[in-house]
Amino acid sequence: MREKLGEIRRLALESTDAISDLRELENLRIKFLGKKGELTKVLRDMGKLSPDERPIIGGIANDIRKEIEEKIATIKETLVQEAKRAKLEKEKIDITISTNNEKLGHRHPLLSTIDELEDLFMSMGFTVISGPEIETVANNFDALNSPENHPSRDLSDTFYLNEDLVLRTHTSPVQIRAMKEMGAPLRIISAGRTFRFDDVDDTHSPMFHQLEGLVVDENVSMANLIHTLDIFIKELFGKDMKTRYRPHHFPFTEPSAEVDVSCFKCRGEGCQACNYTGWSMELLGCGMVHPQVLENCGIDSEKYTGFAFGMGIDRITMVKYGINDIRLLFENDNRFLEQF
């Protein structure tokens, strides 16, 4: 029986050297150490041994079992670690790999124009402020000297939330809030969304963007307004741009004017785009702040004067980038936006 146990030990240990995976290792364990394994078969015959031989053979069998189990455990640990390393290698993601399919975003042309306008006016000493898009009728119309029968106050032109609240129709209410809170002197600009009931086409939208400026101080005149806007237009569109001021009427400014600029295509020479006039479309409106508006905000109109101006940012963006349909600015079509 000693020889049989020695042969089992030799075969078991030699067999482990050829094991390459966990399934083979488990089959080997069952073959030699299982309930019906080779070592178990030998131990079942121990009843045939004398009382003196049994403990000796039993001790040898246990030593062999322990040696085979330790060898199997060592090989199992090695195979498990190798399998883990292979899995990690297979599933590894190299985060340092550069790819060519990255798509980086960029500023929307409208936001880029707003940033450029704000930077330009800040360089001229203006402060950027903002206000709510839901505004009171008092700030949106009354304080701005708009009479109750003014067309812009009609239900067909303005989005009313109730009798006292509207979606602001322009950014001028921000000027009212600034004058009430800060008083004079004052030099501010404000940009943001505004809302009017317009049918959608290539030049109209019920939601659009405006930028308005306000200066209030002692001895402010129309000359200061014209000088400020001339600098702004030349800095934005080029030193060769010319301006033209046409009389107009706004309830909140007096006198008032609309400002035209040279044709962006021919630079004032005359071409088909401007019907050979040399002038582009009206760019903005402006004027001296009406004394009643100053008084409505608690500012002494005998001591202070001011000027204000407002422009459509969407229109400037369209002119700047050669866009012929305002709807393109709001549709979020990447085929369009990626051009900028």
Side-chain angles (χ1 to χ4, degrees):
M1 189 169 285
R2 289 172 183 264
E3 291 77 8
K4 184 65 174 175
L5 289 173
E7 182 66 13
I8 290 174
R9 174 185 177 278
R10 183 185 68 79
L11 289 174
L13 295 178
E14 287 181 354
S15 298
T16 59
D17 295 335
I19 296 298
S20 59
D21 61 53
L22 292 171
R23 179 175 294 180
E24 291 180 3
L25 186 65
E26 179 62 13
N27 290 337
L28 183 142
R29 185 193 69 78
I30 294 172
K31 178 180 179 181
F32 289 99
L33 303 180
K35 292 181 179 181
K36 297 180 181 180
E38 298 296 328
L39 187 60
T40 305
K41 290 178 182 178
V42 173
L43 293 177
R44 285 174 181 169
D45 294 334
M46 288 184 64
K48 300 177 181 179
L49 300 175
S50 66
D52 295 333
E53 288 182 315
R54 287 176 190 169
I56 298 173
I57 298 300
I60 294 174
N62 286 334
D63 289 342
I64 292 174
R65 175 184 288 277
K66 184 177 180 181
E67 185 177 3
I68 294 173
E69 286 178 340
E70 289 178 350
K71 186 65 179 289
I72 289 175
T74 300
I75 294 174
K76 182 177 181 180
E77 178 64 22
T78 300
L79 291 176
V80 167
Q81 293 301 323
E82 289 177 353
K84 185 182 294 185
R85 283 193 295 271
K87 183 178 181 181
L88 290 174
E89 185 66 27
K90 182 179 179 181
E91 298 178 354
K92 181 176 68 175
I93 300 175
D94 187 351
I95 61 173
T96 66
I97 293 177
S98 298
T99 60
N100 296 323
N101 59 357
E102 294 180 353
K103 291 187 177 181
L104 299 178
H106 55 80
R107 298 290 279 174
H108 190 283
L110 267 174
L111 297 179
S112 296
T113 301
I114 291 175
D115 289 343
E116 184 176 0
L117 292 174
E118 290 181 342
D119 289 343
L120 198 161
F121 279 109
M122 282 192 290
S123 71
M124 298 168 65
F126 285 77
T127 300
V128 177
I129 65 172
S130 60
E133 294 178 353
I134 297 177
E135 189 54 271
T136 64
V137 172
N139 284 341
N140 195 82
F141 294 122
D142 297 336
L144 285 162
N145 209 34
S146 296
E148 292 187 1
N149 61 352
H150 194 278
S152 64
R153 302 183 65 149
D154 194 274
L155 290 173
S156 63
D157 282 359
T158 300
F159 295 104
Y160 283 84
L161 279 70
N162 55 43
E163 291 183 358
D164 300 317
L165 296 175
V166 297
L167 295 181
R168 65 182 182 187
T169 61
H170 44 187
T171 47
S172 298
V174 181
Q175 300 178 13
I176 297 298
R177 289 175 175 268
M179 286 189 284
K180 287 180 177 180
E181 295 173 10
M182 304 176 190
L186 196 65
R187 186 181 298 183
I188 61 164
I189 60 166
S190 177
R193 295 189 301 179
T194 56
F195 308 87
R196 297 178 190 174
F197 190 76
D198 273 332
D199 293 327
V200 178
D201 58 28
D202 55 350
T203 58
H204 295 87
S205 170
M207 186 276 292
F208 55 99
H209 298 74
Q210 280 190 342
L211 180 141
E212 298 203 16
L214 172 70
V215 173
V216 179
D217 207 335
E218 297 183 46
N219 302 316
V220 173
S221 68
M222 193 75 175
N224 301 125
L225 168 61
I226 293 174
H227 180 65
T228 299
L229 293 181
D230 282 351
I231 292 176
F232 154 67
I233 290 170
K234 290 181 184 296
E235 288 294 326
L236 185 65
F237 297 115
K239 301 295 184 182
D240 58 338
M241 296 299 287
K242 297 179 181 179
T243 55
R244 179 175 66 180
Y245 293 80
R246 293 181 288 103
H248 195 71
H249 170 71
F250 298 112
F252 32 84
T253 54
E254 181 61 38
S256 305
E258 287 188 339
V259 183
D260 299 331
V261 294
S262 305
C263 175
F264 296 97
K265 189 170 184 180
C266 68
R267 317 302 282 187
E269 295 296 325
C271 66
Q272 186 175 2
C274 62
N275 292 323
Y276 300 96
T277 64
W279 297 98
S280 183
M281 58 185 173
E282 176 258 327
L283 187 68
L284 58 90
C286 63
M288 299 300 295
V289 179
H290 197 292
Q292 186 60 52
V293 174
L294 295 175
E295 296 291 341
N296 291 341
C297 298
I299 295 176
D300 185 357
S301 61
E302 294 294 328
K303 181 179 180 181
Y304 293 101
T305 54
F307 65 76
F309 55 87
M311 64 196 77
I313 300 174
D314 313 78
R315 176 176 295 183
I316 291 178
T317 303
M318 292 170 70
V319 170
K320 182 177 177 63
Y321 293 103
I323 300 169
N324 59 7
D325 193 327
I326 193 173
R327 289 169 291 195
L328 294 171
L329 295 173
F330 309 127
E331 290 176 346
N332 293 325
D333 189 332
N334 278 336
R335 294 171 299 178
F336 167 75
L337 295 175
E338 286 173 354
Q339 300 177 61
F340 310 98

